[in-house]
Amino acid sequence: MNINATLLGQTIMFAMFVWFCMKFVWPPIIAALDARKKQIADGLAAGERGKHDLELAAKHSTELLREAKEKAVDIIALGDKRASEIIEEAKVQAQVESARILATAKTEIDQEVFRAKEQLRTQVTSIALAGASKILRREIDLKAHNDLLEKLLKEI
Amino acid sequence: MASELLTSSDYIKHHLQNLTCGMQDGSFHCAHSVEEAKAMGFWAINVDTLSVSFVLGVVFLLFFRLVAKSATQGVPTGAQNFAEWIVEFIDNSVRGSFTGRSALVAPLALTIFIWIFLMNLMDLIPIDYIPFIAEQMGVSHFKVVPTTDPNATIGMAIGVFFLVIFYSIKIKGLGGFIGELTLQPFGKFGMPFNIFLEVVNLIAKPISLALRLFGNMYAGEMIFILIALLPFYVQWTLSLPWAIFHILIVTLQAFIFMTLTIVYLDMAHQEHH
């Protein structure tokens, strides 16, 4: 085998071929690889974002839960307070009521006592009058002394 | 290539001859002519085919091994992105053609595709470069495209063929495999005819695999050699389009070999066909 210009011809062709590959074969391959890389990167980023969103949502929900719990505690405290207030009020009212009932009863009793005394007084007067009239039948004129007795009755 | 020392036919012959070395007359040496290579008989080796395919295989394995070792989980860059792209492509092909479950098929397909692709790619190196370098180093012949050597393609096809037989027997059992060969398509009364048809069918698989790849690459190489006989200033008008077309051939042949391997193994895994 001898060396001649064939080698040169092949070198020309090879240089052109390499140029062709650089120009038309390499770029599409690189583009495909870049597209693949981008797709993976996007996918990973989307996954990361989803994870982040989830974390935020979880944080938010705990926050909400905490707030709701606080509110519930407040409401319960308020309710308790209100209940004790109502009880206090009722106690006061009951005391007032009982005092009033007591007062009424006392007045009624007083009136009753007064009426009984009055009756007793009348009866005592008539008994005394009857006794006196029996004793003094002849000596005392019923009509003349009635005014005197009446005066006496008033004194009692 | 017009020359007083070397005729066109010598040039072509020189380019189509492998570096065949073997034991002859009690010593190990390499053949300098086709006749000498033939005289060595079967027990000779094509050193160029073996060494180039070995080196390319090592390149493939090293590249993917390095990428696999340094693989990260984030956004892949550079070599990892490239390797993932290829693996994804192979994986899709296997999923599309192979219906069974096997841990072997996808790695096998990847190896076949990349290895054959790299070996075919040697065709795009100008045909005189490597023989020229070899000559400077005192080596008389060097055929740099292993897939233009039928020894390489038939060797790979036999590997696939053994796998087909192995999986046929493994999945269907020896009886099932023999039954498939003898009882189809005409039932047990057409047994001799069945055996003839099925054996032809079976043998045709590795032969078609090997010869398709060899024929395509050999023809491509042949045309490059013929173009190289033209005056050097017009060579590029033919060899450049042919080389560009060859980018397609190189990839396509590797892909076809891979796909057919997957399909044959798929058929071996299926109970009925």
Side-chain angles (χ1 to χ4, degrees):
Chain A
M1 173 182 163
N2 62 342
I3 299 310
N4 57 22
T6 303
L7 211 55
L8 190 62
Q10 286 176 7
T11 304
I12 294 170
M13 166 263 169
F14 194 53
M16 286 168 142
F17 180 69
V18 168
W19 173 84
F20 177 87
C21 285
M22 277 167 62
K23 193 87 181 157
F24 299 108
V25 178
W26 198 244
I29 293 176
I30 293 299
L33 286 175
D34 280 346
R36 184 179 183 278
K37 195 156 89 182
K38 196 176 169 304
Q39 199 183 347
I40 291 171
D42 287 353
L44 285 177
E48 200 61 41
R49 215 178 308 126
K51 216 166 131 193
H52 187 64
D53 285 354
L54 195 69
E55 261 167 34
L56 278 184
K59 215 182 269 177
H60 189 60
S61 73
T62 10
E63 190 82 3
L64 281 179
L65 210 64
R66 201 177 54 73
E67 266 173 34
K69 268 183 188 162
E70 270 173 16
K71 249 182 214 166
V73 168
D74 284 356
I75 288 169
I76 289 169
L78 210 69
D80 279 352
K81 204 174 135 206
R82 183 90 192 97
S84 51
E85 267 175 21
I86 288 170
I87 290 169
E88 281 308 310
E89 264 170 38
K91 270 184 189 165
V92 170
Q93 250 172 19
Q95 268 170 2
V96 169
E97 188 74 4
S98 70
R100 197 178 59 78
I101 291 169
L102 213 62
T104 322
K106 247 179 196 165
T107 342
E108 263 173 32
I109 289 167
D110 285 351
Q111 280 174 356
E112 208 63 36
V113 166
F114 182 74
R115 211 174 297 140
K117 269 182 181 170
E118 202 69 21
Q119 224 166 12
L120 209 57
R121 212 179 278 153
T122 332
Q123 278 171 6
V124 166
T125 313
S126 51
I127 289 170
L129 214 61
S133 62
K134 265 180 185 166
I135 299 163
L136 304 171
R137 181 127 322 159
R138 282 143 214 166
E139 298 135 62
I140 303 164
D141 183 21
L142 198 65
K143 270 183 190 166
H145 298 284
N146 211 22
D147 292 335
L148 195 75
L149 278 172
E150 202 68 45
K151 223 179 266 176
L152 189 73
L153 189 68
K154 272 210 184 116
E155 272 169 27
I156 302 168
Chain B
M1 186 161 161
S3 159
E4 296 138 346
L5 296 170
L6 206 59
T7 64
S8 297
S9 118
D10 284 339
Y11 178 79
I12 295 171
K13 268 189 201 156
H14 177 261
H15 267 290
L16 291 181
Q17 197 192 331
N18 279 105
L19 180 64
T20 308
C21 302
M23 292 296 288
Q24 199 180 30
D25 305 329
S27 66
F28 186 85
H29 64 104
C30 297
H32 291 280
S33 68
V34 182
E35 292 73 29
E36 213 176 327
K38 268 186 184 149
M40 286 178 179
F42 182 76
W43 292 107
I45 50 171
N46 290 342
V47 175
D48 47 1
T49 303
L50 277 180
S51 57
V52 172
S53 55
F54 179 77
V55 167
L56 292 174
V58 168
V59 165
F60 154 63
L61 291 177
L62 272 184
F63 175 73
F64 275 80
R65 173 74 188 144
L66 284 177
V67 169
K69 267 174 83 175
S70 63
T72 55
Q73 279 198 320
V75 179
T77 52
Q80 193 192 340
N81 192 18
F82 178 69
E84 281 183 10
W85 188 51
I86 292 174
V87 169
E88 222 169 60
F89 163 70
I90 304 285
D91 196 45
N92 282 337
S93 299
V94 172
R95 275 177 211 285
S97 311
F98 190 76
T99 49
R101 288 174 60 82
S102 171
L104 172 89
V105 173
L108 177 73
L110 177 70
T111 309
I112 284 180
F113 180 73
I114 304 292
W115 199 25
I116 293 180
F117 177 78
L118 288 175
M119 291 197 284
N120 288 354
L121 204 63
M122 295 299 106
D123 215 3
L124 292 171
I125 298 172
I127 51 160
D128 272 327
Y129 275 24
I130 304 294
F132 174 71
I133 295 168
E135 188 130 334
Q136 303 306 308
M137 287 160 53
V139 178
S140 61
H141 299 81
F142 205 91
K143 220 168 134 190
V144 75
V145 193
T147 42
T148 55
D149 182 356
N151 289 304
T153 60
I154 292 173
M156 280 190 291
I158 287 174
V160 173
F161 182 59
F162 281 150
L163 281 177
V164 166
I165 291 178
F166 173 75
Y167 278 107
S168 293
I169 293 174
K170 189 185 168 199
I171 302 292
K172 300 162 198 165
L174 191 59
F177 180 53
I178 291 172
E180 204 174 72
L181 287 181
T182 52
L183 301 178
Q184 295 182 81
F186 294 119
K188 54 185 174 181
F189 298 110
M191 202 180 283
F193 195 62
N194 290 341
I195 290 176
F196 175 71
L197 276 183
E198 289 293 326
V199 167
V200 166
N201 188 12
L202 193 66
I203 300 297
K205 286 172 185 173
I207 291 180
S208 68
L209 265 185
L211 293 188
R212 179 182 300 106
L213 180 59
F214 163 70
N216 274 283
M217 299 322 294
Y218 187 81
E221 177 87 343
M222 192 71 200
I223 287 174
F224 275 123
I225 295 170
L226 292 177
I227 291 170
L229 293 171
L230 296 168
F232 77 90
Y233 44 86
V234 293
Q235 277 180 19
W236 66 271
T237 55
L238 289 173
S239 61
L240 181 64
W242 187 240
I244 290 166
F245 181 56
H246 236 65
I247 298 173
L248 178 68
I249 303 272
V250 158
T251 320
L252 193 64
Q253 286 306 320
F255 180 72
I256 289 173
F257 200 108
M258 176 194 83
T259 306
L260 285 178
T261 302
I262 298 170
V263 169
Y264 291 158
L265 284 175
D266 182 44
M267 283 159 75
H269 276 76
Q270 278 169 0
E271 291 286 341
H272 307 286
H273 68 170

